[in-house]
Amino acid sequence: MKKRLMNNIGLKVLAFFMAVMSWFIVVNIDDPVTTQTYYSIPVSVINEDVLTKANQTYRIVDDTQTVSVTVSAKRSVLDKIKNDDISAIADMKELTLNTQIPIKIVINGFEGDYKEAYSAPRNLLVKLEEYETKKFPIVPTTTGTVRDGHALGEIKAVPERISIMGPESIIEKISRVEAEVSVSGLSADTLVQSQLVLYDGENNVIDQSLLANNLGGEGVAVSVQVLNVKNVPLVFDESEIQTAEGYSLTDVTYEPREIQVYAKKDILDKTNKIEIPAEALRTSELTKKTEKVVDITEYLPEDLKLADENAGSIVVTISVEKDGTKSYDISLGSIAVNDLNDGLKLEYETADVVEIQIRGPQDILETYDPKENVSINLAEFKEAGKYTVPVKVKVPEGCALEKQVSVNIILVEK
């Protein structure tokens, strides 16, 4: 019996087919066909020259430039497929109704391993437009600061203009074209590569994916000029300051006494001072101390520039004394304070100095030091508030105070 079973060809064939069927059943249970969706797959457009020949272009609408792709395949295949393997292709030759292009899905490296693949949406939606070319100036901009001891000079885009081509609706939105570079740490003239940024009238950045330009492979750069910086003293011509009869010019002071300028090194090496002509201080009939604000920028040599463009205003103080008198500037901290109420604290309304004028013999006035001889008495001020208080000045024998001076004070509770 056993021998008959072993030699039965029909049973052997039947057993083989049953084994094969069992294998297919097991495989389909362990590795079933299912679906998986892959998101944010970019759509590539091919054969765009179809529109270019007709002087047309397109722009994608309704956010259809990326799609989700659903793939039907065995689980073992789906586990191997990655987003980068999937291509979504829209062929411009298949454009229908001038608005939509069917999207074809190709899974690279898995041809024949999947049953079906389709996108959502199924079509790329486009709007056809006339192709426009327009020229724009390139505006160079910088970020950061150059190395200490240097200043930023002229900056210029290379090239200075650009032709931009693309859909008419996008071209018309372009308000300005910028090329931005960082100048941090630069100490010499440099050509810095840059990227173009396009802005609309509301300062929003414009997407350039549908635009082209004539920059070629060289792109755009910004030529940055870096200049040297130097501190240079100011020299004022005082020859046209005139006092009234009976008065004399005693001093001319100004702050700052030097300014920081920048220029090319050879020019700075020859610049040792900035001379301000007499017309800047032209005055007449002066009888008291006078302040003038002089804008020196108009007197700078053509090749020099201020390192700080806001530093061009110089405050000049012209001191005048009556003949037979002498003026003294007293800082508020030098004024002795007498009889301040214990519950109050003293503040001065301004930080200005107090000017006093004393008349008397010149030899006495030259040696007189007022710092130990000025005071205010606050005995009568018992409450917080603002007050004008006379300054008591002790003058040398044989001299007199030209006019009474006072200070504005604020008393606050401790």
Side-chain angles (χ1 to χ4, degrees):
M1 183 71 176
K2 180 178 179 182
K3 184 175 181 182
R4 289 177 59 191
L5 288 174
M6 294 296 293
N7 294 325
N8 192 320
I9 299 299
L11 287 175
K12 289 182 178 181
V13 172
L14 179 62
F16 172 77
F17 279 109
M18 290 186 66
V20 171
M21 289 178 64
S22 298
W23 179 81
F24 273 111
I25 291 172
V26 171
V27 166
N28 283 313
I29 292 176
D30 289 344
D31 193 12
V33 173
T34 184
T35 61
Q36 183 167 319
T37 301
Y38 302 82
Y39 297 94
S40 300
I41 305 300
V43 179
S44 300
V45 181
I46 63 174
N47 293 319
E48 297 171 275
D49 58 333
V50 171
L51 296 180
T52 304
K53 292 176 182 177
N55 197 36
Q56 285 185 311
T57 185
Y58 70 95
R59 60 184 177 89
I60 300 171
V61 298
D62 295 343
D63 295 325
T64 56
Q65 60 266 38
T66 61
V67 294
S68 58
V69 174
T70 300
V71 182
S72 176
K74 290 183 178 182
R75 180 181 298 162
S76 60
V77 174
L78 294 177
D79 289 343
K80 298 176 182 178
I81 296 175
K82 302 293 185 290
N83 278 39
D84 292 342
D85 300 322
I86 302 173
S87 297
I89 302 170
D91 190 341
M92 191 61 73
K93 290 182 178 180
E94 298 181 16
L95 176 68
T96 58
L97 302 177
N98 285 337
T99 59
Q100 56 188 18
I101 310 170
I103 298 174
K104 178 183 178 182
I105 301 300
V106 176
I107 306 179
N108 302 300
F110 293 88
E111 295 83 352
D113 292 341
Y114 58 93
K115 295 184 62 176
E116 184 183 18
Y118 58 89
S119 67
R122 296 290 184 111
N123 296 294
L124 179 71
L125 302 181
V126 298
K127 181 179 180 180
L128 300 188
E129 295 187 33
E130 291 300 314
Y131 198 76
E132 184 177 359
T133 300
K134 193 172 181 179
K135 289 187 176 182
F136 298 89
I138 301 176
V139 180
T141 61
T142 63
T143 61
T145 55
V146 295
R147 187 176 297 180
D148 289 347
H150 298 79
L152 186 63
E154 182 184 20
I155 59 172
K156 184 171 64 174
V158 181
E160 297 184 76
R161 297 182 66 81
I162 183 176
S163 294
I164 301 179
M165 298 78 77
E168 183 179 31
S169 62
I170 299 179
I171 296 294
E172 293 304 317
K173 288 182 180 180
I174 301 175
S175 174
R176 72 182 190 279
V177 179
E178 287 191 2
E180 182 181 282
V181 294
S182 172
V183 298
S184 296
L186 294 185
S187 59
D189 295 352
T190 309
L191 187 66
V192 185
Q193 290 300 125
S194 179
Q195 295 291 327
L196 285 180
V197 182
L198 312 184
Y199 293 92
D200 63 18
E202 297 179 353
N203 212 37
N204 298 312
V205 176
I206 296 175
D207 181 12
Q208 301 182 53
S209 58
L210 295 179
L211 302 176
N213 58 58
N214 65 339
L215 291 178
E218 295 183 6
V220 64
V222 175
S223 172
V224 180
Q225 183 186 43
V226 179
L227 302 173
N228 288 45
V229 173
K230 183 178 181 180
N231 289 331
V232 181
L234 297 171
V235 178
F236 281 86
D237 186 338
E238 304 171 9
S239 61
E240 294 192 22
I241 301 174
Q242 297 181 1
T243 60
E245 187 175 352
Y247 292 83
S248 301
L249 175 67
T250 58
D251 195 16
V252 176
T253 60
Y254 43 90
E255 288 294 335
R257 297 193 64 83
E258 61 181 20
I259 57 170
Q260 195 173 63
V261 295
Y262 66 85
K264 293 182 178 179
K265 187 177 184 303
D266 58 334
I267 295 174
L268 279 186
D269 289 342
K270 295 183 290 186
T271 304
N272 297 313
K273 61 183 177 181
I274 303 294
E275 295 183 339
I276 311 301
E279 65 184 57
L281 297 182
R282 182 180 294 146
T283 50
S284 60
E285 298 297 315
L286 290 183
T287 60
K288 60 182 179 180
K289 178 187 289 187
T290 302
E291 282 190 353
K292 287 179 66 71
V293 178
V294 179
D295 183 1
I296 64 166
T297 53
E298 59 184 292
Y299 304 118
L300 292 178
E302 185 177 352
D303 295 326
L304 286 181
K305 302 291 183 184
L306 289 174
D308 180 357
E309 61 182 14
N310 298 314
S313 296
I314 306 300
V315 179
V316 181
T317 302
I318 304 172
S319 297
V320 173
E321 294 177 354
K322 190 174 183 179
D323 292 346
T325 66
K326 184 172 177 61
S327 297
Y328 305 88
D329 286 334
I330 309 299
S331 67
L332 297 178
S334 298
I335 300 175
V337 179
N338 298 322
D339 298 326
L340 174 62
N341 189 295
D342 289 340
L344 298 175
K345 182 173 65 172
L346 169 68
E347 297 177 357
Y348 289 100
E349 195 170 52
T350 68
D352 295 337
V353 297
V354 176
E355 182 187 24
I356 62 173
Q357 289 186 338
I358 300 176
R359 183 175 63 255
Q362 197 66 29
D363 57 339
I364 296 177
L365 297 180
E366 291 296 337
T367 59
Y368 172 71
D369 185 359
K371 293 180 181 178
E372 304 295 330
N373 295 290
V374 290
S375 63
I376 55 175
N377 189 291
L378 304 180
E380 63 179 281
F381 304 102
K382 305 297 185 182
E383 298 180 353
K386 294 183 178 180
Y387 303 97
T388 299
V389 182
V391 178
K392 182 180 179 181
V393 181
K394 183 179 178 181
V395 299
E397 186 177 351
C399 298
L401 189 65
E402 184 70 15
K403 62 179 180 178
Q404 181 63 53
V405 294
S406 60
V407 291
N408 295 322
I409 66 168
I410 303 173
L411 297 180
V412 295
E413 295 182 358
K414 289 184 178 179

